[in-house]
Every structure is written in C-alpha cells, then in structure tokens.
C-alpha cells in the first residue's frame, strides 16, 4: 500500500499498489501558478485503487471551452492541493507528487510544456520532453504508466 496526504495530516490517501507510480512534470503557467513553484509533478493512477480520507475540500474548475471540469481536492485546513480528477478522464486520479509520504523516492518519466519552464532548470536528455502538451495522449499515458481506459 502506498500512502500520502496533506501538510497538516488531516487529509490522507491510500493507493493499492506494490510500487510507487511513475510521475511527470508540467511546466505550464497554470501549473506554476497553481503549485506556487517551478512546475507541477504528479502521478496518474486508477481511481478504483485510490481512496482519500479526511475533510476534503473540493474546487471545481471548468475548462475555458466549458467542455471539461477539473475537480481539485485539497485540505480545507492547511490548503494543500492533494489530488484531482477530471470529467474528461473518468477512472483516473491525478495525485500531486509532493503529497506522497515517500516523495523522495519518486522517479520522473516525462516533461511537458518545457517552452514555459524556468530557464535555470536543466532537464536530463534521456527523459522525454515536449515543448507543449504531449502530441498523443495514449503514448503519454503509456510512458508514465497511467491506467489504460477505454476512450
Ligand atoms: Zn491539511
Ligand atoms: Zn501544466
């Protein structure tokens, strides 16, 4: 069982898995703003293997075209954003990498939106990176070991 949670410990999550999932980094402006840092890092896992507990606060953010809704889960006490789901990606949960208890053991499988990355950050050439979003979602999901879903 893999576990994690928010900064104050009120919100916790458990992932039914033997090993840590792969993660990816997004360097887009939204991710910089939302993480309050240089980039966001997260893992995509199967929702039926994930369980969150505690007083979860939810923030719903529609996409600009109104076709998708991002459901952001955060701790209402310490305001750590811990995981999210998206109406366009049913069955998957996106876990914020920093919320893993063993975040120091995570590995990174891909970078996206490197056109917007902070200039001091040097990326390992062996790690796949795209200037903007990944051109093919199925290849991206396979690369980061995300659960394969229909559609
Ligand atoms: Zn908290
Ligand atoms: Zn982003």
């Amino acid at each position: 069982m893999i576990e994690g949670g928010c900064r104050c410990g009120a919100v916790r999550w458990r992932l039914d898995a033997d090993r840590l999932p792969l993660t990816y980094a997004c360097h887009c402006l939204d991710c910089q703003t939302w993480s309050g840092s240089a980039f966001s890092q997260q893992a995509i896992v199967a929702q039926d293997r994930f369980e969150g507990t505690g007083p979860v606060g939810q923030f719903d953010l529609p996409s600009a075209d109104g076709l998708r809704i991002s459901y952001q889960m955060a701790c209402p006490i310490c305001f750590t954003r811990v995981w999210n789901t998206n109406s366009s990606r049913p069955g998957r949960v996106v876990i914020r990498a920093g919320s893993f208890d063993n975040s120091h053991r995570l590995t990174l499988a891909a970078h996206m939106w490197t056109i917007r990355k902070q200039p001091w950050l040097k990326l390992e050439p062996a790690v796949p990176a795209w200037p903007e979003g990944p051109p093919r979602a199925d290849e991206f999901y396979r690369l980061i070991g995300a659960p394969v879903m229909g559609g």
Side-chain angles (χ1 to χ4, degrees):
M1 197 65 74
I2 311 282
E3 297 187 45
C6 70
R7 177 66 179 84
C8 80
V11 172
R12 296 288 298 165
W13 57 257
R14 289 153 59 98
L15 175 67
D16 184 5
D18 296 332
R19 65 180 71 178
L20 289 167
L22 295 172
T23 64
Y24 70 98
C26 182
H27 302 262
C28 81
L29 173 59
D30 286 343
C31 283
Q32 291 185 358
T33 304
W34 218 338
S35 68
S37 190
F39 54 86
S40 68
Q41 184 190 356
Q42 47 262 323
I44 302 178
V45 303
Q47 190 157 26
D48 59 6
R49 292 182 172 270
F50 177 89
E51 182 186 25
T53 58
V56 179
Q58 181 173 332
F59 171 63
D60 297 348
L61 182 70
S63 59
D65 58 14
L67 297 177
R68 302 179 306 281
I69 303 174
S70 172
Y71 306 103
Q72 299 285 331
M73 308 303 170
C75 174
I77 300 166
C78 72
F79 296 100
T80 305
R81 193 166 58 107
V82 189
W83 73 86
N84 67 274
T85 59
N86 192 293
S87 63
S88 70
R89 294 188 289 275
R92 295 186 181 110
V93 174
V94 183
I95 309 176
R96 313 253 82 79
S99 75
F100 282 75
D101 290 347
N102 281 327
S103 57
H104 62 307
R105 297 213 166 89
L106 290 167
T107 55
L108 194 90
H111 292 275
M112 66 173 69
W113 281 97
T114 58
I115 194 171
R116 198 58 177 69
K117 83 174 180 62
Q118 294 200 11
W120 52 265
L121 182 61
K122 302 291 182 245
L123 307 184
E124 287 183 58
V127 177
W130 301 282
E132 298 183 357
R136 289 198 44 174
D138 55 340
E139 285 178 11
F140 169 66
Y141 287 134
R142 189 163 50 244
L143 190 64
I144 64 164
V148 177
M149 306 277 164

